[in-house]
């Protein structure tokens, strides 16, 4: 499978329409895959492709939360994320879930990275139709969603050396863990020693981009472990 295997679809939400990219097996459980602050780039498509091939196969869908915009450097990405209507993004996720259900997926998971990780956790709280969530290095603001109110089984992953304070650093991870103790859903928070932000980004571009941001590249082992935990979590909650 390659990026050419993605099918571009249009999804209706209220009085707006947005693009989404779908890959994977028809009639399989669906997984909504949420972008980092960069937008829809090679990395998020790599992740969605990988996800579609786990277990006996998933249908992975990436909603374009930025409506076609992509940040090429940190300043642009920050600007795009700052401009995001987070409540609107949650509505995009809900519309994406509805599209997957209308197109043969009986159970639906949500996952995301960085900004998308925070939105994944918000989905567990705000969207009762979600069956399982896996979030990577991101925690939503308390105004958007309180993780103690999570309704879908939630697994979260963080790098011990992540320096995005209050968003995905170790304090944010521990805070999330505390909140989830108050929730009624199965939950796990994993912290990977010696790893920093975005440790799943393994493409040459992704590694270079991290170096440009002063983020050391991490070991493959943490990424592999996180993916294996992701796979078993999703399969246990999304299997028929």
């Amino acid at each position: 499978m390659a990026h050419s295997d993605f099918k571009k679809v249009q999804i209706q939400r209220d009085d707006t329409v947005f693009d989404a990219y779908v890959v994977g097996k028809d009639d399989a459980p669906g997984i909504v895959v949420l972008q980092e602050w960069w937008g829809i780039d090679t990395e998020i498509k790599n992740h969605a492709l990988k996800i579609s091939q786990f277990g006996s196969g998933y249908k992975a869908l990436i909603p374009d939360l930025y409506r076609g915009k992509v940040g090429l450097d940190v300043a642009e990405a920050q600007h795009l994320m700052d401009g995001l209507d987070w409540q609107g993004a949650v509505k995009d996720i809900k519309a994406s879930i509805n599209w997957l259900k209308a197109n043969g997926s009986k159970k639906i998971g949500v996952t995301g990275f960085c900004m998308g990780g925070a939105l994944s956790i918000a989905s567990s709280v705000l969207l009762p139709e979600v069956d399982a969530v896996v979030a990577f290095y991101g925690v939503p603001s308390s105004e958007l969603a309180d993780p103690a109110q999570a309704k879908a089984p939630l697994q979260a992953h963080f790098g011990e050396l992540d320096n995005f304070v209050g968003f995905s650093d170790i304090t944010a991870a521990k805070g999330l863990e505390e909140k989830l103790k108050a929730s009624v859903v199965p939950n796990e928070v994993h912290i990977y020693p010696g790893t920093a932000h975005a440790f799943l980004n393994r493409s040459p571009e992704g590694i270079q981009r991290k170096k440009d941001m002063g983020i050391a590249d991490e070991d493959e082992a943490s990424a592999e472990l996180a993916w294996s935990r992701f796979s078993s979590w999703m399969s246990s909650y999304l299997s028929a």
Side-chain angles (χ1 to χ4, degrees):
M1 271 193 176
H3 288 181
S4 58
D5 294 314
F6 280 88
K7 190 174 76 175
K8 187 171 167 183
V9 299
Q10 294 199 303
I11 295 178
Q12 179 85 30
R13 188 257 287 177
D14 306 331
D15 53 357
T16 173
V17 171
F18 61 91
D19 290 336
Y21 299 85
V22 185
V23 68
K25 208 168 115 184
D26 280 341
D27 297 331
I31 297 182
V32 180
V33 181
L34 301 172
Q35 68 201 46
E36 296 180 283
W37 66 344
W38 307 105
I40 301 218
D41 61 358
T42 306
E43 204 72 60
I44 197 69
K45 286 190 166 176
N46 286 347
H47 291 339
L49 258 179
K50 191 180 183 85
I51 286 165
S52 72
Q53 295 163 1
F54 278 126
S56 45
Y58 294 102
K59 184 184 270 190
L61 180 149
I62 314 169
D64 188 351
L65 304 179
Y66 283 170
R67 305 297 190 261
K69 296 193 176 81
V70 180
L72 298 178
D73 58 33
V74 169
E76 279 182 14
Q78 183 72 57
H79 177 72
L80 286 166
M81 183 165 99
D82 289 345
L84 182 73
D85 167 9
W86 290 74
Q87 310 279 355
V90 172
K91 289 181 181 172
D92 286 355
I93 298 163
K94 185 181 173 74
S96 300
I97 291 166
N98 291 343
W99 186 92
L100 283 165
K101 288 199 161 169
N103 285 276
S105 296
K106 290 179 181 62
K107 293 200 170 178
I108 312 285
V110 177
T111 190
F113 309 84
C114 170
M115 177 183 98
L119 282 165
S120 302
I121 293 171
S123 302
S124 169
V125 176
L126 301 170
L127 300 176
E129 48 278 74
V130 177
D131 295 298
V133 168
V134 180
F136 293 95
Y137 28 82
V139 175
S141 70
S142 51
E143 298 86 58
L144 181 64
D146 174 6
Q149 305 294 316
K151 296 174 186 70
L154 175 58
Q155 184 187 68
H157 304 263
F158 298 89
E160 178 196 30
L161 307 179
D162 194 318
N163 59 4
F164 284 84
V165 177
F167 179 71
S168 52
D169 65 336
I170 195 157
T171 314
K174 297 275 192 204
L176 174 65
E177 204 166 23
E178 279 308 304
K179 286 268 181 173
L180 288 173
K181 283 180 184 162
S183 79
V184 295
V185 294
N187 61 83
E188 294 176 3
V189 175
H190 299 287
I191 297 168
Y192 298 80
T195 59
H197 192 72
F199 65 87
L200 287 190
N201 291 357
R202 309 297 310 152
S203 73
E205 306 95 313
I207 290 169
Q208 186 55 52
R209 195 160 57 184
K210 286 190 284 186
K211 284 190 175 137
D212 295 344
M213 291 171 71
I215 299 174
D217 189 40
E218 294 84 15
D219 63 317
E220 286 281 350
S222 295
E224 287 308 312
L225 178 56
W227 278 124
S228 73
R229 285 170 167 161
F230 169 96
S231 182
S232 54
W233 191 260
M234 287 301 193
S235 75
S236 57
Y237 293 107
L238 301 186
S239 299

